[in-house]
Amino acid sequence: MDSSRVVDLNVGGILYTTSIDTLTKDPESHLYKMFSSNINSLVTDRKGRIFIDRDGQLFRYILDFLRNGQLNLPSDFQETAGLKAEADYFNLGTLALQLSDLDLVPTTGLLTPRKKRPSATDMSGTLGGQGYIVVGYRGTFAFGRDMSDIKFRKLTRILVHGKVMLCREVFKDTLNDSRDPDRGLNTDRYTSRYYLKHTTLEQAFDQLCEAGFRMVGCCGTGTSAPTAIQDLKPGQVSLEDQWNHYNEFVFVRDDACHSCSSLGTALRYRQATPSNGHSPSHERRGSYF
């Protein structure tokens, strides 16, 4: 079959003209199976155009994806579910995965393509930007009757470091900024003096995950105070106070990051897709958290 051959299509009553090369871009797709062999056996309409009984309006996005290799939708696109059904029918795994990666706009309920985030060095205060947030805490261990009976960790305060607008976007009303007020500044800035109003580390992690951050590094240190009573510092009266540890966790958000909800959707699609070892949907790799 001549891949440069031009063919006329009638898709659900909408007419298209394209090449065999475009239609056979994905070797795992249903279109490849249709047009890589003898197309004379395909169903045609009264004027000899190859007829495909699918949604003709949405087929334009199928062709656009095959031509460019990426999904391009208008900002007010409202038929994501329909396009996802078309991608599944034509077995276009990469397109289906990109559709699963789209962001949900809370105010409208529409699915639209994720736009490029503002740069990490952008200090205009635009929400949704790239950047790093460092979460740290100092804590002790609560002991039982003897040294080996460690019950749980005790956090005195969860510290937050990063750009001011980024921290406020993520932690919202759980953020305490009283130690570093704005003082009338209109631009973004960095701070290392914020802390959270709660001491639940997992809640802070959930907020970061929901905002599209992923952990990229962590470190921890531990100290032991003298055990002899005469060597204890003033105010250090319990065994628990002798053991302290400080930990920091580094989170980043960039264009490669996904929120927890969008990642879960993509993973569910990947698990539901049969693995044949060749599908483009299985070529995607990455660690999100």
Side-chain angles (χ1 to χ4, degrees):
M1 178 62 62
D2 183 6
S3 62
S4 62
R5 178 178 172 179
V6 175
V7 292
D8 294 321
L9 306 177
N10 179 346
V11 184
I14 307 296
L15 306 182
Y16 293 94
T17 299
T18 185
S19 67
I20 297 293
D21 181 64
T22 296
L23 294 169
T24 56
K25 280 286 182 65
D26 186 344
E28 300 296 329
S29 70
H30 182 51
L31 289 170
Y32 180 89
K33 296 176 181 178
M34 290 176 61
F35 292 95
S36 61
S37 56
N38 183 16
I39 65 174
N40 294 325
S41 60
L42 298 177
V43 178
T44 59
D45 62 11
R46 288 178 297 178
K47 294 190 176 182
R49 294 176 290 239
I50 297 174
F51 179 74
I52 301 176
D53 190 16
R54 299 299 298 179
D55 191 317
Q57 297 287 352
L58 295 178
F59 192 74
R60 59 173 292 191
Y61 302 109
I62 300 290
L63 280 181
D64 185 61
F65 173 79
L66 291 172
R67 288 165 178 153
N68 302 309
Q70 62 183 9
L71 182 61
N72 294 299
L73 298 177
S75 59
D76 59 346
F77 187 73
Q78 302 184 36
E79 298 187 64
T80 305
L83 185 55
K84 175 68 162 54
E86 297 301 303
D88 290 339
Y89 174 82
F90 290 113
N91 198 30
L92 294 166
T94 303
L95 174 57
L97 187 59
Q98 289 188 22
L99 285 166
S100 297
D101 283 346
L102 296 181
D103 283 335
L104 180 64
V105 180
T107 56
T108 63
L110 305 181
L111 285 168
T112 57
R114 182 184 295 106
K115 298 180 180 179
K116 182 176 176 59
R117 298 186 184 278
S119 168
T121 56
D122 181 355
M123 303 302 287
S124 64
T126 304
L127 296 180
Q130 304 179 53
Y132 287 83
I133 288 181
V134 177
V135 174
Y137 75 88
R138 174 184 174 273
T140 63
F141 291 108
F143 291 93
R145 292 185 176 181
D146 57 72
M147 292 283 291
S148 63
D149 189 16
I150 299 178
K151 297 294 186 181
F152 53 86
R153 67 166 183 258
K154 294 182 65 176
L155 278 64
T156 55
R157 182 170 289 176
I158 298 178
L159 306 175
V160 177
H161 319 295
K163 288 197 294 186
V164 166
M165 296 305 295
L166 208 58
C167 296
R168 288 176 176 169
E169 175 195 344
V170 173
F171 298 108
K172 301 180 175 65
D173 58 353
T174 65
L175 188 70
N176 191 324
D177 58 1
S178 61
R179 296 175 61 191
D180 192 8
D182 283 336
R183 297 185 178 87
L185 297 177
N186 296 321
T187 57
D188 205 355
R189 59 190 175 85
Y190 290 92
T191 181
S192 60
R193 297 175 59 84
Y194 284 176
Y195 62 93
L196 300 183
K197 298 176 182 178
H198 61 82
T199 57
T200 306
L201 192 62
E202 289 75 15
Q203 180 181 345
F205 284 6
D206 284 343
Q207 290 175 290
L208 285 158
C209 181
E210 186 65 26
F213 283 78
R214 58 191 172 95
M215 186 189 298
V216 292
C218 62
C219 65
T221 61
T223 60
S224 172
T227 58
I229 297 297
Q230 64 272 19
D231 294 331
L232 293 179
K233 297 178 181 179
Q236 189 173 355
V237 295
S238 69
L239 181 63
E240 176 183 312
D241 292 329
Q242 297 178 31
W243 298 85
N244 297 291
H245 56 97
Y246 183 78
N247 299 273
E248 283 191 338
F249 305 89
V250 182
F251 291 83
V252 66
R253 181 172 69 183
D254 52 31
D255 278 334
C257 292
H258 302 254
S259 68
C260 296
S261 57
S262 64
L263 174 59
T265 303
L267 290 177
R268 284 194 297 273
Y269 168 78
R270 186 177 302 172
Q271 292 168 355
T273 305
S275 177
N276 52 23
H278 300 288
S279 174
S281 64
H282 294 274
E283 294 298 321
R284 187 171 178 137
R285 295 291 186 269
S287 174
Y288 295 90
F289 197 84

